[in-house]
Amino acid sequence: MASSLTKDSAPTGIPGSESTFFGHPRGLATLFMTEMWERFSYYGMRALLPLYLVAPAGLGLSATTATAIYSVYLSLVYLLALPGGWFADRVLGPRKTVAVAGAVIMLGHLTLALPWSGSFFAGLGLVAIGSGLLKANISTMVGHLYKGPEDPRRDGGFTIFYIGINLGAFAAPLVIGTVGESVNWHLGFALAALGMALGLAQFLLGGRHLSPQSDVVPTPLTAEQKAATLRKAFFWAAVAAVFYAIVGFSGVYTLNWLLVPITVAGLIIPVMVIGRMKRDKQLDRGEQSKLTAYIWFFVAAAVFWMIYDQGGSTVSLFAESSADNSVFGWEFPVSWYQSVNPVMIMALAPVFAWAWLALAKRGKEPSTATKFAMGLILVGASFFLFLAPLSIADGGHKAAALWLAAIYFVQTVGELMLSPVGLSVTTKMAPAKYASQMMGVWFLAVTAGDATTGLLSIAGVDLNKTGIVTLEATLAVVAGFAVWMYRRKVKELMGSVN
C-alpha cells in the first residue's frame, strides 16, 4: 500500500493532508485495511453458514430452516447497526466503538469454532452484536475524512472503501470456505477469528491517521441518563431471560420462538425509527425534506437487499443441491460462488468511480434516484435470469455453474449502482442531531429486506420455486420504475444534495 501514497496536495484541515491514498486522505487506507480483514472474517463465516446448517456433519437442518436462520441472522446484524450508532453517538464515539466491536467479533468467531450447537448460536449472537457496533461507525469515519458533502472526492472515497470490503469478501470463501467444507467446519470458523484479529491490529496501529472528529462523542449521556439506560437494559434482559426460561422448561420451545420475534422486530423497528425522526420538532424544514426523500431510498434499498442477500442462501443452497459446480471438469467447493460477486466488484468499482467523476465534471452524472432505479431493475433482472437454472433443475438436470455466475454478475452491476451511492447519500443527508445513527438507519433497510425473506422461510415458503422467484423479480423491476418516474420529485426534496 505504501507505493500508493503520494505527496499530492490535499485540502488543509483534512486528516492525512501530508499524503494521500489514491488521491484521498491517508486515513482511508487504515479504514480500507480494517474493513478488508473484518469482511474477510464475516464473509468467510457467512459463506459457510447455510452449508453448515444443512450438512449432515453440521446441524443437518432443512433448506427452508437454514434459509430462515441465515436471513434472520443477517437481519439481526444490520438491525444492531442502529444501537451501534447510538452507542457511538452517546457513549464512546465512533473510533473506540469500532475497537470494541472488533474484539467482540473475534470472540464470536472463536465461539463458533467450538464443536457444540449451543455455542454455535451463541457465537452467531456475538458476531451479530460486534458487527452491529462496527458497521455504522466505520462508514461514518470514512465520511469524517472529507470536508463535508461538497467534497467532490466523497463518492469516490466510498467506492474505494467498498473495494476493501470486497477484497476481504473475495478471499474469504476461497480460504475459509475451502477449509470449512474440505477439512473441518469449525477450523474454518477459527480462521474467521484470525481475520478479525488482523483487522483489529490494523485499526489500532493506523489510528493516528483518522480524523479527530472520530474520537468525539457528539451527544454524550449524562450520569443520570447512563444509570437510567443501564436499568432499562437490565430490566429487558431479565424479562427475556425469564420468558425463554419458562418456554424452555415448559417443553414447547422450538427455534421459531427465537426466529419469529427477531424477524418481526426487523420489520417493525425500521418503521418506528424513521417515524420518530420525522416527528422530531428539532429538525428544521430542510432536514425534514431530506428525510422525506430518504424514505424513497430506504424502501428501494429494502427491496434490493431482499433479493440480493439471497445470493448467499437461496442461490447457494440451489447450487449445493442442483448445480454442476465444476469448470472444465474441475469441481470446486460451493462456498466459492460467494467470491464471484466481490471479484466482479473489484474489477468494476474503479470503472464506476471514474465514470461518476467524469460525468460529474460534464454535469451529466445521473441523480441518486436514477442510480437507485437502475440498481433495482438490475437486481430484478438477476432473478428473472435465475428462472433459467431453476427450469433446468426442474427438468432433472444439473444447471451449469455459468448460470449462477451470470446471476451474480447482474447483481454486482446493480449493487454498484445502489450500495456505495446509498452509503454516501446517507452521510450527506443525515441531520446533524443523528450523525452515526443515520448510518444505522441505512442498514435498517437491509434488516427489513432480510427480515422479509426470513418471514417467508419461517412460513415454509420454498424460495427456490419458479413462482416466488418470478414474484420477487417483478416486485424489484416495478419498484425501480416507480423510483425513476418520481425522480424529479425526490430530487426537489433532497435540496442541494445530488
Side-chain angles (χ1 to χ4, degrees):
M1 291 297 177
S3 62
S4 65
L5 300 178
T6 64
K7 293 296 180 180
D8 299 339
S9 60
T12 305
I14 293 179
S17 59
E18 73 284 352
S19 61
T20 65
F21 176 68
F22 292 111
H24 292 265
R26 177 65 177 86
L28 185 61
T30 295
L31 298 176
F32 176 99
M33 294 296 291
T34 301
E35 184 73 344
M36 182 191 75
W37 283 113
E38 188 273 332
R39 294 291 86 181
F40 175 85
S41 71
Y42 175 79
Y43 280 101
M45 182 277 289
R46 203 174 98 160
L48 288 182
L49 180 56
L51 304 176
Y52 173 76
L53 292 173
V54 301
L59 296 188
L61 302 174
S62 68
T64 301
T65 303
T67 300
I69 293 172
Y70 178 89
S71 300
V72 171
Y73 165 70
L74 292 188
S75 176
L76 185 60
V77 166
Y78 291 96
L79 179 63
L80 290 171
L82 186 66
W86 177 91
F87 192 76
D89 279 350
R90 307 303 304 273
V91 183
L92 284 184
R95 182 172 170 180
K96 290 180 181 178
T97 300
V98 168
V100 171
V104 173
I105 293 171
M106 184 173 62
L107 178 61
H109 287 305
L110 289 173
T111 306
L112 287 173
L114 300 175
W116 304 298
S117 59
S119 63
F120 179 82
F121 287 104
L124 280 182
L126 287 171
V127 175
I129 291 169
S131 297
L133 287 170
L134 183 140
K135 290 193 72 63
N137 293 302
I138 198 164
S139 297
T140 298
M141 291 168 71
V142 174
H144 288 165
L145 297 171
Y146 299 94
K147 293 183 67 176
E150 70 278 3
D151 192 321
R153 302 173 301 165
R154 193 182 185 92
D155 279 10
F158 274 99
T159 301
I160 292 172
F161 178 69
Y162 216 61
I163 295 174
I165 293 174
N166 288 282
L167 187 61
F170 165 70
L174 303 181
V175 178
I176 296 173
T178 301
V179 171
E181 285 192 72
S182 305
V183 181
N184 181 275
W185 294 106
H186 297 285
L187 182 57
F189 295 130
L191 284 178
L194 175 61
M196 188 63 254
L198 292 172
L200 182 58
Q202 170 69 33
F203 183 76
L204 296 175
L205 291 173
R208 66 186 183 277
H209 299 294
L210 302 176
S211 168
Q213 187 180 355
S214 297
D215 287 310
V216 174
V217 182
T219 53
L221 293 172
T222 64
E224 294 79 9
Q225 289 173 326
K226 286 181 181 179
T229 301
L230 287 174
R231 284 195 301 270
K232 290 179 182 178
F234 282 124
F235 171 77
W236 287 111
V239 169
V242 171
F243 174 79
Y244 281 104
I246 292 173
V247 172
F249 286 119
S250 67
V252 299
Y253 177 81
T254 65
L255 193 58
N256 283 351
W257 281 94
L258 181 62
L259 298 181
V260 172
I262 296 174
T263 304
V264 173
L267 293 172
I268 293 176
I269 291 176
V271 176
M272 293 176 59
V273 169
I274 293 178
R276 178 176 60 85
M277 288 184 176
K278 283 296 295 177
R279 292 191 302 271
D280 191 337
K281 302 299 184 183
Q282 295 182 12
L283 301 185
D284 61 33
R285 181 177 297 180
E287 290 174 322
Q288 285 286 357
S289 178
K290 289 176 183 177
L291 274 179
T292 301
Y294 194 76
I295 293 173
W296 281 85
F297 300 131
F298 182 91
V299 174
V303 175
F304 179 90
W305 294 115
M306 179 187 69
I307 295 177
Y308 177 89
D309 275 344
Q310 289 183 58
S313 56
T314 304
V315 179
S316 182
L317 292 173
F318 172 85
E320 193 273 335
S321 63
S322 304
D324 176 15
N325 304 310
S326 63
V327 177
F328 301 118
W330 174 69
E331 191 169 352
F332 55 86
V334 175
S335 58
W336 281 24
Y337 281 111
Q338 302 310 306
S339 287
V340 175
N341 168 262
V343 76
M344 289 178 176
I345 284 182
M346 288 187 291
L348 295 175
V351 177
F352 274 77
W354 171 83
W356 298 147
L357 188 59
L359 288 171
K361 289 179 178 178
R362 294 173 174 82
K364 296 181 179 180
E365 182 181 7
S367 68
T368 299
T370 300
K371 293 174 184 176
F372 266 65
M374 295 166 69
L376 275 171
I377 292 170
L378 284 167
V379 82
S382 76
F383 258 35
F384 278 124
L385 185 60
F386 190 20
L387 295 174
L390 284 173
S391 177
I392 293 170
D394 286 343
H397 304 286
K398 292 283 188 178
L402 286 178
W403 280 114
L404 303 185
I407 293 170
Y408 289 121
F409 172 76
V410 176
Q411 289 187 347
T412 298
V413 178
E415 181 183 2
L416 286 168
M417 290 285 184
L418 184 143
S419 189
V421 177
L423 285 170
S424 180
V425 79
T426 298
T427 62
K428 293 177 183 178
M429 297 173 67
K433 179 179 178 179
Y434 293 106
S436 296
Q437 291 182 60
M438 194 64 181
M439 190 59 70
V441 173
W442 165 251
F443 290 124
L444 283 181
V446 189
T447 295
D450 286 324
T452 302
T453 302
L455 194 61
L456 291 171
S457 299
I458 292 169
V461 176
D462 186 350
L463 297 175
N464 267 318
K465 293 298 184 182
T466 301
I468 190 66
V469 169
T470 302
L471 181 62
E472 291 181 88
T474 302
L475 173 63
V477 171
V478 170
F481 276 112
V483 172
W484 183 80
M485 288 176 62
Y486 285 92
R487 65 192 184 281
R488 291 185 178 87
K489 175 63 175 177
V490 175
K491 172 61 179 171
E492 290 175 7
L493 292 170
M494 293 171 67
S496 61
V497 177
N498 180 32

